[in-house]
Amino acid sequence: MSTIPYKTYLEESEMPKQWYNVRADMKNKPAPLLNPATKQPMTAEELSVVFCKELVDQELNDTDAFIDIPQEIQEFYKMYRPSPLVRAYCLEKALDTPAKIYYKFEGNNTSGSHKLNSAIAQAYYAKKQGLKGVTTETGAGQWGTALSMACAYLGLDCKVFMVKVSYEQKPFRREVMRTYGADVTPSPSETTEVGRKILEAHPGTTGSLGCAISEAVEVATHSEGYRYVLGSVLNQVLLHQSIIGLESKTAFDKIGVKPDVIIGCAGGGSNLGGLIAPFMGEKLRGENDYQFIAVEPASCPSFTRGKFAYDFCDTGMICPLAKMYTLGSGFIPSANHAGGLRFHGMSSTLSQLYHDKLMTAVAVEQTSVFEAAEKFARIEGILPAPESSHAIKVAIDEALKCKETGEEKTIFFGLTGTGYFDMVAYQKFNDGVMTDYIPTDDDLAVGFAGLPEV
Amino acid sequence: MSTIPYKTYLEESEMPKQWYNVRADMKNKPAPLLNPATKQPMTAEELSVVFCKELVDQELNDTDAFIDIPQEIQEFYKMYRPSPLVRAYCLEKALDTPAKIYYKFEGNNTSGSHKLNSAIAQAYYAKKQGLKGVTTETGAGQWGTALSMACAYLGLDCKVFMVKVSYEQKPFRREVMRTYGADVTPSPSETTEVGRKILEAHPGTTGSLGCAISEAVEVATHSEGYRYVLGSVLNQVLLHQSIIGLESKTAFDKIGVKPDVIIGCAGGGSNLGGLIAPFMGEKLRGENDYQFIAVEPASCPSFTRGKFAYDFCDTGMICPLAKMYTLGSGFIPSANHAGGLRFHGMSSTLSQLYHDKLMTAVAVEQTSVFEAAEKFARIEGILPAPESSHAIKVAIDEALKCKETGEEKTIFFGLTGTGYFDMVAYQKFNDGVMTDYIPTDDDLAVGFAGLPEV
């Protein structure tokens, strides 16, 4: 047995006091958000209608590499962080691989995922600005839960639009959010203008993150003292989530290990962007090399089959345009149990890095993901979220490649969360009735046809 | 801010290598199990029909204070332990109390509770004995999940009888167990003789732990290569669970703190017995004094309203007799959402300690428990299991007493698990339709009437 422990925790004194802003080290900066009417870069003033002021500053800041984490947020982080960096000894043994496998486990908090890292930051700035509350969307429900928790802690009102398919598949998620005092509406709903329009155009739709975003933004911009907050995609979110990568980097340094391959699931990019941030920084600065792999569902393949273009972030087309790998804001992915990976687009920052070939991406099918999830649950003792299991699937694939080649690579992946609220999906898998959905080129053409001209 | 961190984790090297057997330090030993036919103490040979051999030895051993934890179990413990000792700074602040509040959080593993500590031990000894599988009962589902996980890890077959009311209230628990390869049957069932008898006598019963135990024991004793395992009550379980208290003690010593009041919820006693073990040992040896408080539901008040007598551990009366505080094996508690606290009896060890006035007990009502649970969730960020919330309720009460008196007591409680699978209960609470059930003296008389003569 090696002297490296199963789990490496940082001391509180070793926890990051600043977030890392990878954009500062990027030669090719991510393209700015555009005003959909003027096609000009959104100004801070324009963005402040939707977002809190300090978050707008963070969104637009592509020059400062480090941004202080306010003391209050540091204290909140100490309630559930540091998260452990885990050496997957049992998985290595079961796979009989020479590879060393590590994962950063973000699921040990009640939101069940890494989402709390940004939720508390966004809620904090809203509170500081003297707002009454915030609105948001949620897919898998992890972001909505995280925001509910953060708002309950700070005494803010919280209105959540939950993608209808998740609302139905995860009946108990709503109760967790309600326990934290949030108001939860299935989306699309009749409560907003944009919701009514979407329902008229797509009767019976099970919704999408893009729809839910439109509704949440509408409510925020039409209610006094409210702003909209988003759990992924945005630069500010990746900034907050850098805590994952920063803690990981410090823990790796502590045990004297350097990962070779870094793997993360990618929906809007919140986890992946945060996980890889400091490692990507070293790569950008030429200090170290790493292989980065984004894993997305074959049913919603924005990196691997999308276009790098300006697009709306929402289905209702009321949000700014972002340059990103996208399937088109009109693309509504077919049913898939990884609700958190059903976004049509991708973080502009990650899109630029991918476009510049600084990272790679792979799309995997649902049933193979659940096979990996079940294996992992039985071997490593953690029931993973379907989203996280995308990364597990590829980590196992990479470890098995090492078994063939004999390479002793160090594989590191982000285990973003737990699957306790995904038992409908696990039940389908257990019953052998889970299927795979892969959009045809014709399906994708529909989404691409709706891309705006810029 | 004090220099004591929010969370204290032990290093792997500081983790216990031996369990602590509190019986060794008890002047008045817990009374032995009796053969229900002869009323003579059960021999090791008799017990070996039901339990694994090494577990029988542990069950009967009231002289060795320390018992080695096998290396394989130590390795498994490292997968999900050490659990954190948490300083509840946020709760202290919210209550505005001079008390210092700490809790040991056992919910950060997929079984969602401390139950895994004994599950892996029992499964390990079954495997070592060359058995094919094990049978058990589960109430809240945490024990069944824990055992499923342990069996999946070791490649053992696992048959679980789940109390019907929990089976219905927690539809997704079954799927977690199935994901870990277990076979789950709602109890009472038609699959056993004792189950059919109970259904005939009590048609429409929602079951009880006592019923489920009878069914699991019947299957174990009638199947080649199977033994029965139990998640609470037994001496062996308290032994394994002593890891909770041992880790806590080491962590307290590390930060230089001595708790004054130690609080744990009590169903069959697995958590409470493990939590207090090393502290009780110090008290028994006259080295230190602590106040211990057992918290039980008012709907199933074995300590506070039960009799200290020999009784069956199961409803079907096929198990050995144990001397304990009991409501009678015929007592079926009214509906309560803390399924893990619905057992009619109590650990013989804890019963003896309580009888000898070495600890106290208090019964609390369900709605007040959920009020405490919601408060705790919002303030400390962890959604607690209903069982665990019994301890939270009393810890808050004690902290508020300190606020009145100005005493700076150090309050320590066991947070046994998470409530992710208890959202039906939380929903009732959120909807304001939760009620309290307290058995009348007449209700209790029915159970007492069935106590065996010894």
Side-chain angles (χ1 to χ4, degrees):
Chain A
M1 186 55 64
S2 156
T3 52
I4 290 172
Y6 279 71
K7 289 184 254 99
T8 302
Y9 285 103
L10 304 184
E11 301 289 328
E12 276 183 9
S13 58
E14 297 169 316
M15 285 175 68
K17 290 175 182 56
Q18 297 182 308
W19 291 304
Y20 169 63
N21 182 10
V22 73
R23 288 167 289 162
D25 284 316
M26 288 169 70
K27 209 167 124 189
N28 300 325
K29 305 288 183 192
L33 294 170
L34 298 187
N35 182 316
T38 64
K39 308 280 160 80
Q40 292 301 306
M42 292 286 287
T43 63
E45 199 181 348
E46 287 171 327
L47 284 170
S48 300
V49 179
V50 179
F51 301 115
C52 304
K53 223 196 125 316
E54 288 209 45
L55 291 168
V56 169
D57 292 344
Q58 293 180 359
E59 191 63 30
L60 298 176
N61 185 339
D62 60 10
T63 50
D64 295 326
F66 290 95
I67 291 174
D68 289 345
I69 304 175
Q71 190 60 41
E72 292 87 340
I73 299 177
Q74 286 188 44
E75 291 301 319
F76 187 89
Y77 279 164
K78 287 179 198 162
M79 262 175 58
Y80 71 100
R81 307 196 66 83
S83 68
L85 175 70
V86 186
R87 173 75 183 267
Y89 281 119
C90 300
L91 184 60
E92 290 172 17
K93 197 176 155 196
L95 298 176
D96 189 23
T97 174
K100 317 275 180 266
I101 309 176
Y102 290 85
Y103 57 91
K104 178 77 167 168
F105 181 40
E106 291 287 318
N108 273 349
N109 71 76
T110 289
S111 80
S113 81
H114 66 294
K115 293 288 185 180
L116 198 49
N117 302 330
S118 185
I120 186 58
Q122 296 193 49
Y124 168 79
Y125 291 117
K127 178 83 177 177
K128 199 178 159 199
Q129 192 173 323
L131 296 178
K132 202 172 138 192
V134 290
T135 72
T136 198
E137 82 299 328
T138 197
Q142 295 176 325
W143 167 248
T145 309
L147 191 68
S148 304
M149 290 175 67
C151 287
Y153 184 79
L154 295 169
L156 277 174
D157 189 37
C158 180
K159 294 183 196 301
V160 180
F161 287 88
M162 185 170 187
V163 177
K164 198 177 277 174
V165 64
S166 295
Y167 187 88
E168 285 163 4
Q169 279 180 0
K170 305 184 181 188
F172 295 152
R173 269 284 184 204
R174 185 197 58 204
E175 287 309 319
V176 180
M177 292 188 249
R178 278 184 76 204
T179 301
Y180 282 95
D183 190 47
V184 189
T185 309
S187 166
S189 78
E190 297 282 351
T191 68
T192 64
E193 202 182 308
V194 66
R196 289 188 291 272
K197 263 192 207 162
I198 291 167
L199 282 171
E200 208 176 289
H202 305 275
T205 176
T206 55
S208 70
L209 277 174
C211 298
I213 293 173
S214 297
E215 293 201 81
V217 170
E218 181 182 318
V219 171
T221 50
H222 288 67
S223 311
E224 184 67 30
Y226 281 77
R227 288 295 184 282
Y228 167 70
V229 297
L230 178 64
S232 191
V233 182
L234 297 175
N235 295 324
Q236 59 188 264
V237 176
L238 269 69
L239 175 72
H240 307 147
Q241 294 294 357
S242 69
I243 186 121
I244 305 172
L246 291 164
E247 278 187 9
S248 303
K249 183 75 180 65
T250 305
F252 273 123
D253 289 346
K254 219 173 151 173
I255 56 176
V257 171
K258 179 197 161 290
D260 299 307
V261 188
I262 303 180
I263 301 165
C265 61
S270 69
N271 156 66
L272 183 68
L275 179 75
I276 69 174
F279 303 97
M280 182 60 85
E282 290 190 347
K283 183 164 178 159
L284 289 166
R285 297 188 303 269
E287 296 164 7
N288 247 323
D289 196 24
Y290 303 94
Q291 183 192 354
F292 300 104
I293 308 177
V295 190
E296 59 186 15
S299 61
C300 193
S302 35
F303 268 137
T304 52
R305 295 176 70 195
K307 293 198 172 166
F308 189 43
Y310 265 106
D311 193 12
F312 291 94
C313 291
D314 64 325
T315 309
M317 303 185 182
I318 62 177
C319 286
L321 300 172
K323 191 170 179 195
M324 57 186 175
Y325 278 85
T326 179
L327 300 165
S329 66
F331 177 80
I332 294 189
S334 48
N336 177 293
H337 289 289
L341 305 183
R342 294 177 88 237
F343 185 61
H344 66 273
M346 183 56 65
S347 140
S348 289
T349 300
L350 291 180
S351 292
Q352 188 63 49
L353 292 167
Y354 181 69
H355 187 71
D356 291 342
K357 303 201 187 320
L358 288 156
M359 50 181 279
T360 59
V362 54
V364 292
E365 294 177 28
Q366 179 162 250
T367 49
S368 69
V369 166
F370 274 82
E371 277 163 25
E374 190 195 75
K375 185 189 291 246
F376 185 82
R378 292 187 182 190
I379 296 170
E380 285 285 320
I382 295 172
L383 188 82
E387 293 80 4
S388 326
S389 304
H390 285 68
I392 295 173
K393 157 71 180 151
V394 172
I396 290 176
D397 287 350
E398 290 293 315
L400 292 176
K401 277 188 212 163
C402 288
K403 186 176 175 177
E404 274 186 32
T405 62
E407 284 176 287
E408 293 187 19
K409 280 190 190 173
T410 296
I411 297 167
F412 172 46
F413 70 94
L415 186 67
T416 54
T418 49
Y420 305 137
F421 291 96
D422 299 280
M423 296 321 295
V424 168
Y426 273 98
Q427 181 166 5
K428 280 199 180 154
F429 178 74
N430 291 336
D431 290 342
V433 297
M434 180 171 277
T435 49
D436 291 315
Y437 304 89
I438 303 177
T440 63
D441 287 343
D442 286 350
D443 293 337
L444 295 186
V446 175
F448 294 146
L451 286 175
E453 279 182 40
V454 175
Chain B
M1 187 57 63
S2 157
T3 53
I4 290 172
Y6 279 70
K7 289 184 254 97
T8 302
Y9 284 103
L10 303 184
E11 301 289 327
E12 274 184 9
S13 57
E14 297 169 314
M15 285 174 68
K17 290 174 183 55
Q18 297 182 306
W19 291 303
Y20 169 64
N21 182 11
V22 73
R23 286 167 291 162
D25 286 315
M26 288 169 70
K27 210 166 123 189
N28 300 326
K29 306 286 182 192
L33 294 170
L34 298 187
N35 181 315
T38 65
K39 309 279 160 81
Q40 292 302 305
M42 292 287 287
T43 63
E45 200 180 347
E46 287 171 325
L47 284 169
S48 300
V49 179
V50 179
F51 301 116
C52 303
K53 223 195 125 315
E54 288 210 44
L55 291 168
V56 169
D57 293 345
Q58 293 180 359
E59 191 63 29
L60 298 175
N61 185 339
D62 60 10
T63 50
D64 295 325
F66 290 95
I67 291 175
D68 288 345
I69 305 174
Q71 190 60 42
E72 294 86 340
I73 298 177
Q74 286 189 44
E75 291 301 318
F76 188 90
Y77 279 164
K78 287 179 197 161
M79 264 174 57
Y80 70 100
R81 307 197 65 84
S83 69
L85 176 69
V86 185
R87 172 76 183 266
Y89 280 120
C90 299
L91 184 60
E92 290 172 16
K93 196 176 155 196
L95 297 176
D96 188 23
T97 173
K100 317 278 179 264
I101 308 175
Y102 290 84
Y103 56 92
K104 179 76 166 167
F105 181 41
E106 291 287 317
N108 273 348
N109 70 76
T110 289
S111 80
S113 82
H114 66 294
K115 294 287 184 181
L116 198 50
N117 301 331
S118 185
I120 185 60
Q122 296 193 48
Y124 167 80
Y125 291 117
K127 178 83 178 176
K128 199 177 161 200
Q129 192 171 323
L131 297 177
K132 205 173 135 189
V134 290
T135 71
T136 199
E137 82 300 327
T138 197
Q142 295 176 326
W143 167 248
T145 309
L147 190 67
S148 305
M149 290 174 67
C151 287
Y153 184 79
L154 294 169
L156 278 174
D157 189 37
C158 180
K159 295 185 196 301
V160 180
F161 287 87
M162 185 169 187
V163 177
K164 198 176 278 172
V165 62
S166 294
Y167 188 88
E168 285 162 4
Q169 279 180 359
K170 305 184 181 189
F172 296 151
R173 269 284 183 204
R174 185 196 58 204
E175 288 310 319
V176 179
M177 292 187 249
R178 278 184 75 203
T179 300
Y180 283 94
D183 191 47
V184 189
T185 308
S187 167
S189 78
E190 296 282 351
T191 68
T192 64
E193 202 182 308
V194 65
R196 289 188 291 272
K197 262 192 208 161
I198 291 167
L199 282 171
E200 209 176 288
H202 304 276
T205 176
T206 54
S208 71
L209 277 173
C211 296
I213 292 173
S214 296
E215 293 202 81
V217 171
E218 180 183 319
V219 171
T221 50
H222 288 67
S223 312
E224 184 66 30
Y226 282 78
R227 288 295 184 284
Y228 167 70
V229 297
L230 178 63
S232 192
V233 182
L234 296 174
N235 294 324
Q236 59 189 266
V237 177
L238 269 69
L239 176 72
H240 307 147
Q241 294 295 358
S242 69
I243 186 122
I244 306 173
L246 291 164
E247 278 187 10
S248 303
K249 183 75 179 65
T250 306
F252 272 123
D253 288 347
K254 221 174 150 172
I255 56 174
V257 170
K258 179 195 162 290
D260 300 305
V261 188
I262 303 180
I263 301 165
C265 60
S270 69
N271 155 66
L272 182 69
L275 179 76
I276 69 175
F279 303 98
M280 182 60 84
E282 291 190 347
K283 182 163 179 161
L284 289 166
R285 296 189 303 270
E287 296 165 9
N288 247 324
D289 195 25
Y290 302 95
Q291 183 191 355
F292 300 104
I293 308 176
V295 190
E296 59 186 13
S299 60
C300 193
S302 35
F303 268 136
T304 51
R305 296 176 69 196
K307 294 199 172 167
F308 189 44
Y310 265 105
D311 192 13
F312 292 94
C313 291
D314 64 324
T315 310
M317 303 186 183
I318 63 177
C319 286
L321 300 172
K323 190 170 180 193
M324 56 186 177
Y325 278 86
T326 179
L327 299 166
S329 66
F331 176 80
I332 295 190
S334 49
N336 177 293
H337 290 289
L341 304 183
R342 293 177 90 238
F343 185 61
H344 66 273
M346 182 58 65
S347 141
S348 289
T349 301
L350 292 180
S351 292
Q352 188 64 49
L353 292 167
Y354 180 69
H355 187 70
D356 291 341
K357 305 201 186 318
L358 288 154
M359 48 182 280
T360 58
V362 55
V364 291
E365 294 177 27
Q366 178 162 251
T367 47
S368 70
V369 166
F370 274 83
E371 276 163 26
E374 189 195 78
K375 184 188 292 245
F376 185 80
R378 293 187 180 189
I379 295 170
E380 284 285 319
I382 295 172
L383 187 82
E387 292 80 4
S388 327
S389 305
H390 285 68
I392 295 173
K393 156 72 180 152
V394 173
I396 290 176
D397 287 350
E398 290 292 315
L400 292 176
K401 277 187 213 162
C402 288
K403 186 176 175 178
E404 274 185 32
T405 62
E407 284 176 288
E408 293 188 20
K409 280 191 189 171
T410 296
I411 297 167
F412 171 46
F413 70 95
L415 187 68
T416 55
T418 50
Y420 305 139
F421 292 96
D422 298 282
M423 296 320 296
V424 168
Y426 274 98
Q427 181 166 4
K428 279 201 183 152
F429 178 74
N430 291 337
D431 290 341
V433 297
M434 180 170 276
T435 49
D436 292 315
Y437 304 89
I438 302 177
T440 63
D441 288 342
D442 287 350
D443 292 337
L444 295 186
V446 174
F448 294 145
L451 287 175
E453 279 180 40
V454 176

